[in-house]
Amino acid sequence: MSTALEQATRLLAELTDAAAEGVWSAPGRVNLIGEHTDYNEGFVLPFAIPHRTVAAVARRRDDRVRVASTFAEEPVEVALAELDELFPTAPGSAPRVAEWAAYPLGVAWALRQAGIESSGIDIAIASDVPVGAGLSSSAAIEGATASALNELWGAGLDRTALARIGRRAENEAVGAPTGIMDQMAAMLGESDAAIFLDCRSLDAVTVPVGLADAGLEILVIDTRVSHAHSTGGFRERRASCERGAALLDVRSLRDVSTSDLARAGRVLDDVTFRRVRHIVTENQRVLDTVRTLREHGPRAIGDLLIASHASMRDDFEISVPELDTAVEAAVEAGAIGARMTGGGFGGAAIALIERDAERAVTDAVRAAFAASGFAEPTVFTVVPSAGAGRDT
Ligand code: ADP
Ligand code: MG
């Protein structure tokens, strides 16, 4: 099988008869802990994974932008000026281009909106990040495109600014109300380290995870139940958090601490209270995980991962039976900790395991899925890896 880099380069050659001027790529991510805290201005701890989305790019002589992907039948081509008519997409409605194309075109639009001078460009995309699995193929396509255009359009933006460009594309061009975590992980990833991100200040600190030294691995269990962020549940959870913050009279749930929860319980209805409690306790778990990693290493964070999953299952109610089964089977088979990762309603779970337990945990998860009549999950290991960059 050819690599994503070869596929993207070939696709560009088919499109333009010209060689790529350069190839850029950005990774997917898993979130070690800190779910739905990003848009509440809280804390997250993701890391970039080895799977990447690649953009092979060449400049054009005219003022048009064309995007192609190995995942799409047809390229999409528009005039650069037309981007400003296509976007932003009206809240709650579908983009006026094929949805996948709204990611790369949205990045081009967001750069123009930021005052960057644009010029005609062809972009060919290929990827080995599983799509819709909660591993953030969306931030990977945004990060690869943003990195390419940043250089070819001479924008000179730093990594945090490019992450903001990606989020703006996803929020306003695609219309998915996601936070900044995925884009920051894709831009800032480093090998063997997680990114401890304060989503209010966007201050990011690299935290060594030390998996290899401890003889541990992270297993990803992709349930292949596909989620759709831009619809329903995600929007509803976000609204609950905003309602909770308003009723508690704070700017965001970041400003509520675990010692405020008793009062919150008296002020809020049951559902809103449980949504709030997830965010507040999850923020604390991120802080605890960072401290534990620094003081005791990765073997000590298992209970925090398990508590995070329980909070998402019971309080935030974003898990699904397949994710619960993955987590329970992994822990029963000896995983140190496990939790769903990503926005929820499907997607993937992660399990922290001893390196020599990979076979046993994988087999146990597969057996549990079969016994429940679920489709076979895709199971693979990941290591914390580098962020977006230029490949050739
Ligand atoms: P996730 O980020 O968890 O993979 P999302 O729903 O946020 O899931 O993003 C997936 C969407 O991003 C896809 O449905 C598609 O529109 C777009 N996308 C991601 N990768 C690619 C790609 N390589 N080519 C075309 N579109 C892509
Ligand atoms: Mg996504």
Side-chain angles (χ1 to χ4, degrees), residues 29 103 132-140 142 170 176 178 182-183 227 229 343:
R29 62 98 189 92
Y103 291 84
L135 301 175
S136 203
S137 67
S138 56
E142 291 154 12
E170 187 147 349
T178 53
D182 298 352
Q183 293 82 8
H227 67 94
H229 274 172

